[in-house]
Amino acid sequence: MDRIVLGISGASGTPLALRTADALADHVEVHTVVTDAAKAVMTHETDAPAATMDRIADASTELYAEDDFGAAIASGTFQTDGMVVVPCSMNTVAKLAAGFSDTLLTRAADVTSKEDRPLVVVPRESPLSEVHLENLQALASRGVTVVPPVLGFYYDPEDVDDVVDHVVGKILDRFDLPYDGLTRWGETE
Ligand SMILES: Cc1cc2nc3c(=O)[nH]c(=O)nc-3n(C[C@H](O)[C@H](O)[C@H](O)COP(=O)(O)O)c2cc1C
């Protein structure tokens, strides 16, 4: 099948979303839904938000708006290998924990769960409140993989690009997809 749903929600992390889209597109069909809040965040995190959306569109087999409930990814009959939400806002984390399907992103995630397909979230907030942690715990207890974009230093990052690469590599690992930017412990000189 080789098809993954990419959800981009309104947490900080436009570079993470972009690089994940590009990395997935090297291997699979990418069906992308971007929330309105994510588009708003892009206006703060990139010099050219329209160009950023163009790049996401280029990497995507299909690009959907958050209110496009007729999209293929809104139905479980549309087969996929799973979904990743990167970055994942605490708003979206809460909705996923509660089973809300009020946007195409949350509907696609709900579908992914009900069809027993891999669901990965990359939650971005700091510090995390008790309710954030409770919601993440609820997701993890139901089999959702939580991949926080946390800093690591053991792989000797030189710049932010290296840090982004490491997180993207961790995401692709969840789908058994290779990513050259991931430095693996034990495989360095
Ligand atoms: C510049 C900017 C950065 C934001 N960063 C975060 C963040 O890192 N984490 C988060 O949970 N919400 C963040 N927010 C707030 C979310 O965008 C907001 O809660 C929104 O309702 C999320 O909607 P969505 O989950 O449908 O995308 C940010 C908002 C803006 C404008």
Side-chain angles (χ1 to χ4, degrees):
M1 191 185 330
D2 296 333
R3 181 187 285 156
I4 290 175
V5 180
L6 169 62
I8 303 175
S9 73
S12 179
T14 304
L16 280 174
L18 263 178
R19 200 155 317 162
T20 302
D22 285 338
L24 290 174
D26 284 342
H27 305 287
V28 296
E29 274 186 31
V30 185
H31 289 253
T32 306
V33 51
V34 183
T35 68
D36 291 347
K39 290 176 188 167
V41 171
M42 283 173 200
T43 66
H44 295 276
E45 298 193 334
T46 67
D47 293 334
T52 301
M53 281 303 295
D54 286 346
R55 277 188 57 195
I56 290 170
D58 284 346
S60 304
T61 311
E62 295 287 345
L63 176 63
Y64 312 99
E66 71 164 37
D67 61 352
D68 186 1
F69 289 104
I73 58 172
S75 171
T77 58
F78 186 73
Q79 293 182 301
T80 75
D81 296 303
M83 176 171 180
V84 55
V85 185
V86 55
C88 191
S89 72
M90 291 304 112
N91 175 60
T92 289
V93 166
K95 288 180 185 178
L96 300 188
F100 274 57
S101 299
D102 65 332
T103 65
L104 179 62
L105 189 155
T106 52
R107 169 62 185 166
D110 197 49
V111 164
T112 302
S113 289
K114 83 181 175 74
E115 299 294 336
D116 272 335
R117 297 170 187 155
L119 177 59
V120 176
V121 298
V122 183
R124 215 305 315 180
E125 190 50 275
S126 183
L128 292 164
S129 71
E130 193 169 349
V131 71
H132 297 154
L133 291 165
E134 284 170 3
N135 287 333
L136 288 166
Q137 155 68 25
L139 293 182
S141 69
R142 292 178 212 145
V144 176
T145 304
V146 179
V147 182
V150 294
L151 294 172
F153 295 97
Y154 63 90
Y155 56 90
D156 202 16
E158 287 181 5
D159 52 28
V160 176
D161 265 0
D162 287 349
V163 175
V164 170
D165 268 341
H166 199 73
V167 175
V168 171
K170 294 259 180 169
I171 295 167
L172 263 71
D173 259 5
R174 305 315 304 177
F175 297 100
D176 289 327
L177 295 173
Y179 186 64
D180 284 346
L182 178 63
T183 306
R184 294 181 190 280
W185 182 250
E187 294 182 4
T188 49
E189 321 225 324

